[in-house]
């Protein structure tokens, strides 16, 4: 007797339950999105099949047959499309990483100058910020590229600005130490020494907590790194042979080169992004109440200690989230490389897409890679943000 | 997480949207419905496809588009042009942004199959060459070891270049710039020792140099480049129309029919071949799915292949017919019979 009543009650309670309605709405929305996605994807494949266009990612292992000017890993036209895309990814990461470093350094200096009491300095910083921020970055890239190509002399009349350092419209050439196993081991020791410095810092901070005695771990760590790397250099035979650029035929042979494509992209991205970073730095520093600085000075901290231990930690809390988005912007803007001929991921994907006709696959690869890169930067910056966040006890 | 879902969803949707929704009907039907032919053209290649200072498009490839419009719609002016870089062109055709690609595109096996194109003939036989600055002192392509080479990406040029240097055991450094005009300007600025593309392209770009006499084209031709119009794979009806439009222009030249005298031929000619071509007898147009006076419209409004070649390639670039002469004059242009 009581059964139907109970079930009716259950049903009506489902309708009136906010939670049940919520779940139903979510199922409806998710189902709708899934249907649209399925429709688009199945349609795409049907159309591709109708036009006889190849699908799938098997093209990645085919021989690429095109040349790439700048590669951090070995690459010849006999290598595969997959390897070509890997070259592009590494080139993108190279220019993004260096761009982030330079943009941060320039941005920091300009941001601090902008707040300077020196009128001329602060005006110059203001003009710099407004100039480079308000010109589209693509135009800036093309400007730098054209400037280097037309403003610098031909290789035969290259400017030797320093001994064995040449400036020409083929880029900047400079001598580097010739290949030797010593450099590999120096790198290994460098990484080990860094780990040692980290341990040293932990020990020093722990001791300071315990006994109050401070230990200059920064200087000690620096000395540790320099001495250990130098000892490795001596032990491995202290190679002194240099690879210097020499004009042979058309071009310089030997030495290392920064191409006009790479330089214009790096300069353009760094200057453009640095203007945003400068304002972020300024807002960060201004957000720290003046009383903090005064209190710190009164407690007897030196100005450098005040900056490092009092002002910067508080300023960075304000700075990190917007800095993250600027770093992401710089990484994504590096895809403009195609305009100045730098072989980044997008440029090489475009070529691959065109030679194989598989646009969807190539685009899916580079979209996935940019998404991955951006998420990696976000994750790192979020972790750093959490670490720097105010710990309330 | 929510934003991640959005990104993933958006990515899938955007990727799929690159292609098209369901079948939009045959190309010919859509051309008749919208009233014009949408052609993918080169961004700026004098002689083949380039806008004039008044914004009117001119060139050998452009004429072919006008001819297709004349054949299908009876009005050569019903053609619109989308300028495309080499890297954009196939995606634009695949995604139906354009109906027809008339953009000095080399006919190759992989493009005819994997890339999903159908080549409807060859309207210019070309080959890849090299251009250098005269001041460099280079006189032959075999002296190019170690050279920096400016090229356009996504072209057969890029592949031939790598093949040629590999075969010769020479090295090169490519500077790849997507926009052909930018790439050429970069070469003129001295960034590269060499610019390479099809010989016709070299002749065309050389004229855009600040001082064309400072540059020269090397004698070597390192590849075969049969350039032709392409349509989407799977639309045979439209491919046939484009193919026979080109043939009709060749046939007209072979028979001596020009835009000036086509009316006389149509009225007086007793030659059954000419009568079939001009639609006074037979049902050639009906077989193609267009009106029977299709070829008459092409010749009257656009002209025959020789006229088009002379006013574009010859007049603007100073290039002779060479391989592109009719077979009767020792060239490769050999129209299939219209019957």
């Amino acid at each position: 007797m009581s059964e139907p009543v109970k079930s009716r009650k259950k049903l009506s309670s489902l309708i009136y339950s906010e939670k049940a309605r919520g779940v139903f709405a979510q199922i409806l929305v998710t189902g709708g999105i899934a249907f649209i996605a399925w429709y688009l994807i199945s349609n795409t494949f049907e159309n591709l099949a109708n036009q006889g266009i190849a699908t799938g990612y098997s093209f990645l292992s085919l021989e690429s047959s095109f040349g790439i000017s700048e590669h951090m890993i070995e690459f010849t036209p006999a290598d595969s499309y997959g390897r070509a895309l890997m070259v592009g990814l590494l080139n993108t990461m190279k220019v993004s990483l260096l761009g982030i470093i330079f943009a941060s350094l320039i941005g920091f200096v300009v941001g601090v100058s902008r707040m300077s009491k020196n009128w001329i300095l602060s005006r110059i910083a203001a003009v710099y910020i407004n100039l480079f921020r308000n010109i589209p970055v693509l135009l800036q890239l093309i400007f730098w590229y054209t400037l280097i190509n037309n403003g610098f002399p031909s290789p035969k009349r290259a400017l030797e600005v320093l001994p064995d350092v040449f400036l020409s419209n083929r880029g900047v050439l400079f001598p580097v130490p010739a290949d030797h196993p010593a450099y590999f081991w120096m790198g290994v020791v460098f990484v080990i020494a860094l780990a040692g410095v980290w341990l040293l810092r932990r020990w020093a901070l722990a001791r300071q907590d315990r006994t109050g005695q401070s230990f200059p771990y920064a200087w000690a760590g620096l000395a540790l790194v320099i001495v250990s790397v130098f000892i490795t250099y001596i032990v491995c035979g202290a190679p002194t042979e240099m690879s210097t650029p020499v004009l042979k035929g058309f071009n310089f042979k030997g030495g290392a080169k920064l191409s006009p494509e790479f330089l214009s992209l790096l300069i353009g991205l760094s200057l453009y992004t640095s203007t945003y970073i400068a304002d972020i730095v300024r807002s960060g520093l201004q957000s720290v109440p003046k009383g903090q600085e005064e209190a710190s000075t009164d407690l007897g901290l030196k100005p450098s200690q005040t900056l490092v231990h009092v002002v910067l930690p508080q300023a960075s809390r304000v700075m990190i989230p917007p800095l993250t988005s600027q770093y992401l912007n710089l990484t994504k803007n590096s895809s403009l490389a195609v305009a100045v001929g730098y072989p980044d991921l997008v440029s090489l994907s475009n070529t691959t897409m065109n030679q194989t006709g598989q646009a969807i696959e190539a685009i899916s690869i580079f979209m996935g890679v940019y998404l991955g890169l951006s998420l990696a930067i976000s994750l790192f910056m979020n972790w750093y943000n959490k670490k720097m966040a105010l710990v309330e006890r | 997480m929510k934003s991640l879902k959005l990104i993933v969803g958006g990515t899938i949707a955007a990727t799929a949207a690159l292609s098209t929704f369901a079948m939009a009907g045959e190309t010919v039907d859509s051309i008749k419905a919208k009233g014009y032919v949408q052609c993918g053209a080169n961004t700026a290649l004098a002689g083949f496809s380039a806008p004039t200072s008044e914004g009117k498009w001119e060139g050998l490839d452009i004429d072919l588009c006008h001819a297709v419009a004349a054949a299908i719609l009876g009005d050569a002016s019903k053609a619109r042009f989308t300028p495309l870089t080499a890297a954009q062109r196939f995606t634009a055709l695949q995604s139906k942004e354009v109906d027809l690609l008339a953009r000095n595109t080399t006919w190759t096996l992989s493009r005819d199959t994997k890339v999903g194109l159908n080549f409807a003939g060859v309207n210019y036989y070309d080959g890849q060459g090299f251009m250098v600055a005269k001041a460099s002192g280079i006189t032959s392509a075999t002296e190019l070891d170690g050279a920096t080479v400016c090229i356009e990406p996504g072209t057969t040029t890029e592949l031939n270049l790598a093949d040629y240097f590999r075969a010769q055991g020479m090295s090169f450094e490519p500077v790849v710039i997507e926009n052909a005009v930018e790439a050429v300007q970069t070469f003129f600025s001295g960034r590269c020792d060499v610019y390479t593309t099809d010989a016709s392209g070299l002749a065309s770009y050389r004229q855009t140099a600040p001082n064309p006499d400072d540059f020269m084209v090397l004698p070597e031709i390192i590849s075969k480049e049969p350039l032709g119009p392409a349509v989407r794979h799977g639309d045979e009806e439209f491919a046939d129309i484009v193919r026979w439009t080109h043939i009709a222009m060749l046939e007209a030249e072979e028979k001596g029919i020009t835009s000036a005298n086509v009316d006389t031929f149509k009225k007086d000619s007793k030659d059954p071949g000419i009568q079939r071509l001009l639609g006074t007898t037979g049902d050639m147009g009906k077989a193609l799915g267009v009106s029977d006076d299709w070829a008459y419209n092409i010749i009257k409004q656009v002209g025959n292949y020789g006229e088009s070649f002379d006013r574009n390639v010859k007049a603007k670039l100073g290039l002779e017919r060479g391989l592109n002469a009719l077979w009767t004059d020792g060239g490769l242009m050999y129209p299939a019979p219209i019957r």
Side-chain angles (χ1 to χ4, degrees):
Chain A
M1 253 328 257
S2 62
E3 274 312 299
V5 176
K6 201 175 172 189
S7 86
R8 196 182 306 141
K9 198 175 166 192
K10 224 176 180 176
L11 198 67
S12 64
S13 75
L14 267 185
I15 293 172
Y16 292 115
S17 152
E18 200 173 323
K19 198 173 166 195
R21 276 183 297 166
V23 169
F24 181 70
Q26 291 197 25
I27 291 175
L28 215 62
V29 170
T30 317
I33 292 175
F35 174 76
I36 293 172
W38 168 83
Y39 176 77
L40 288 175
I41 291 172
S42 64
N43 230 327
T44 303
F45 277 103
E46 196 186 311
N47 280 328
L48 290 178
N50 282 339
Q51 290 179 37
I53 298 170
T55 48
Y57 290 91
S58 55
F59 70 92
L60 287 174
S61 58
L62 297 178
E63 183 183 288
S64 61
S65 325
F66 58 84
I68 304 176
S69 55
E70 292 177 55
H71 38 83
M72 292 165 75
I73 50 176
E74 268 311 302
F75 185 84
T76 68
D79 284 316
S80 67
Y81 285 115
R83 196 170 173 86
L85 294 181
M86 183 54 78
V87 169
L89 172 61
L90 289 173
N91 281 342
T92 292
M93 286 166 70
K94 178 169 91 172
V95 79
S96 304
L97 189 67
L98 289 174
I100 285 175
I101 292 172
F102 283 120
S104 304
L105 291 177
I106 301 170
F108 188 81
V109 171
V110 175
V112 172
S113 310
R114 182 82 182 82
M115 286 176 67
S116 167
K117 292 191 181 71
N118 182 329
W119 188 82
I120 294 180
L121 194 61
S122 95
R123 284 291 94 191
I124 289 176
V127 167
Y128 171 88
I129 290 172
N130 283 309
L131 181 67
F132 285 104
R133 187 172 54 190
N134 293 314
I135 299 174
V137 64
L138 179 62
L139 294 185
Q140 293 191 37
L141 297 183
I142 292 174
F143 168 78
W144 293 114
Y145 191 49
T146 315
L147 186 75
I148 294 174
N149 281 340
N150 292 294
F152 285 17
S154 68
K156 281 177 186 146
R157 288 189 217 112
L159 294 174
E160 193 168 1
V161 283
L162 290 167
D164 287 331
V165 177
F166 296 95
L167 279 186
S168 75
N169 60 12
R170 300 297 152 84
V172 179
L173 285 117
F174 53 92
V176 284
D179 254 352
H180 192 281
Y183 301 114
F184 171 73
W185 292 113
M186 283 162 73
V188 172
V189 170
F190 178 73
V191 174
I192 296 174
L194 279 190
V197 172
W198 183 71
L199 287 174
L200 182 70
R201 177 174 176 270
R202 255 177 68 143
W203 168 81
L205 293 181
R207 194 183 70 150
Q208 191 172 8
D209 281 350
R210 222 173 39 244
T211 65
Q213 276 179 294
S214 75
F215 180 81
Y217 64 84
W219 293 111
L222 190 67
L224 175 71
V225 170
I226 291 176
V227 169
S228 60
V229 170
F230 186 71
I231 288 175
T232 321
Y233 174 71
I234 300 290
V235 169
C236 289
T240 53
E241 198 195 333
M242 299 291 279
S243 163
T244 46
V246 179
L247 187 63
K248 266 189 197 153
F250 293 110
N251 281 321
F252 285 96
K253 299 262 162 70
K257 184 169 101 166
L258 299 173
S259 70
E261 291 78 28
F262 175 74
L263 280 177
S264 50
L265 185 63
L266 183 62
I267 295 173
L269 290 179
S270 301
L271 294 187
Y272 178 73
T273 313
S274 73
T275 60
Y276 290 91
I277 292 181
D279 269 354
I280 291 170
V281 168
R282 182 167 64 112
S283 72
L285 293 178
Q286 280 177 340
S287 74
V288 181
K290 209 167 162 35
Q292 294 282 322
E293 204 181 320
E294 291 166 354
S296 153
T297 312
D298 286 351
L299 285 173
L301 270 71
K302 288 184 274 182
S304 61
Q305 286 173 323
T306 303
L307 185 70
V308 173
H309 295 297
V310 178
V311 178
L312 278 186
Q314 298 187 64
S316 64
R317 279 179 208 130
V318 178
M319 281 155 53
I320 290 170
L323 266 186
T324 308
S325 74
Q326 287 313 318
Y327 290 168
L328 291 175
N329 278 347
L330 188 144
T331 308
K332 287 180 284 183
N333 282 341
S334 74
S335 61
L336 294 170
V338 69
V340 290
Y342 177 70
D344 79 324
L345 182 66
V346 173
S347 161
L348 293 177
S349 300
N350 275 346
T351 303
T352 300
M353 156 190 338
N354 213 254
Q355 301 295 7
T356 60
Q358 293 186 251
I360 293 180
E361 286 84 351
I363 290 176
S364 73
I365 290 176
F366 77 66
M367 289 206 304
V369 169
Y370 273 103
L371 184 65
L373 272 183
S374 296
L375 289 178
I377 294 175
S378 302
L379 281 179
F380 174 78
M381 293 301 281
N382 285 346
W383 165 80
Y384 187 63
N385 191 27
K386 217 167 256 167
K387 194 166 127 62
M388 296 300 288
L390 196 60
V391 184
E392 293 186 13
R393 278 179 260 242
Chain B
M1 261 338 261
K2 204 182 212 171
S3 60
L4 183 68
K5 269 185 213 152
L6 273 178
I7 294 166
V8 173
T11 309
I12 294 168
T15 313
L18 275 173
S19 184
T20 41
F21 302 101
M23 297 285 284
E26 296 292 300
T27 313
V28 183
D29 292 342
S30 85
I31 289 172
K32 283 177 180 163
K34 67 190 174 190
Y36 59 88
V37 180
Q38 189 76 45
C39 282
N42 202 320
T43 47
L45 183 66
F48 288 83
S49 109
T52 61
S53 51
E54 293 95 48
K56 199 171 151 279
W57 287 84
E58 279 183 355
L60 189 74
D61 285 337
I62 298 298
D63 277 355
L64 186 66
C65 274
H66 283 303
V68 170
I72 297 177
L73 302 166
D75 183 351
S77 67
K78 296 283 171 58
R80 297 189 187 177
F81 301 95
T82 306
L84 298 169
T85 68
Q88 295 165 337
R89 56 189 162 172
F90 301 136
T91 317
L93 183 65
Q94 287 170 349
S95 62
K96 302 190 180 174
E97 204 182 306
V98 297
D99 300 315
L100 164 68
L101 199 61
R103 195 205 166 282
N104 54 305
T105 299
T106 306
W107 183 8
T108 68
L109 186 146
S110 52
R111 287 174 179 175
D112 214 345
T113 55
K114 290 194 294 186
V115 183
L117 307 186
N118 252 359
F119 282 86
V122 175
N123 69 340
Y124 194 91
Y125 289 95
D126 210 340
Q128 184 176 340
F130 296 102
M131 173 161 59
V132 296
K134 275 185 186 157
S136 69
I138 302 162
T139 53
S140 157
T142 53
E143 300 164 22
L144 291 176
D145 192 13
T148 306
V149 187
C150 279
I151 36 171
E152 248 187 298
T155 53
T156 49
T157 309
E158 199 181 6
L159 306 179
N160 295 331
L161 175 72
D163 284 359
Y164 179 75
F165 276 76
R166 267 160 92 185
Q168 300 278 323
M170 303 192 299
S171 69
F172 72 102
E173 185 187 305
V175 174
V176 183
I177 295 175
E178 178 162 3
N179 188 317
V181 177
E182 291 283 330
V184 174
Q185 288 307 319
T186 304
F187 164 67
F188 290 145
S189 77
R191 170 69 184 94
C192 299
D193 303 303
V194 191
Y195 187 81
T196 180
T197 188
D198 299 337
S200 60
L202 292 180
S204 173
Y205 291 136
R206 185 166 162 263
Q207 297 188 337
T208 66
N211 187 1
D213 287 334
D214 289 347
F215 298 93
M216 60 180 268
V217 175
L218 297 179
E220 284 88 351
I221 295 291
I222 64 163
S223 69
K224 289 182 290 184
E225 307 286 340
L227 309 178
V231 300
R232 276 182 295 280
H233 184 90
D235 191 345
E236 299 308 325
E237 195 191 345
F238 186 52
D240 284 343
I241 293 175
V242 177
R243 178 176 303 117
W244 288 96
T245 297
H246 172 57
I247 292 175
M249 290 174 79
L250 291 177
E251 182 73 17
E253 187 187 4
E254 193 180 325
K255 301 271 190 210
I257 310 171
T258 66
S259 54
N261 64 19
V262 63
D263 285 319
T264 330
F265 271 99
K266 193 176 168 93
K267 205 162 70 216
D268 304 333
S269 180
K270 298 284 178 281
D271 180 340
I274 293 176
Q275 287 180 341
R276 262 198 310 278
L277 175 69
L278 298 180
T280 35
T281 61
D283 61 350
M284 296 295 112
K286 203 163 139 226
L288 280 175
V290 295
S291 69
D292 280 331
D293 59 356
W294 63 286
Y296 167 82
N297 289 333
I298 295 171
I299 301 163
K300 175 76 186 164
Q301 298 176 27
V302 182
N304 66 34
Y305 180 78
E307 287 178 83
S308 175
F309 192 100
D310 287 347
R311 71 169 169 256
N312 293 307
V313 182
K314 197 169 177 186
K316 297 210 174 82
L317 307 179
L319 292 174
E320 291 304 320
R321 289 291 286 269
L323 290 176
N324 297 297
L326 288 177
W327 64 289
T328 46
D329 301 329
L332 293 175
M333 291 297 178
Y334 186 99
I338 294 180
R339 68 180 316 136

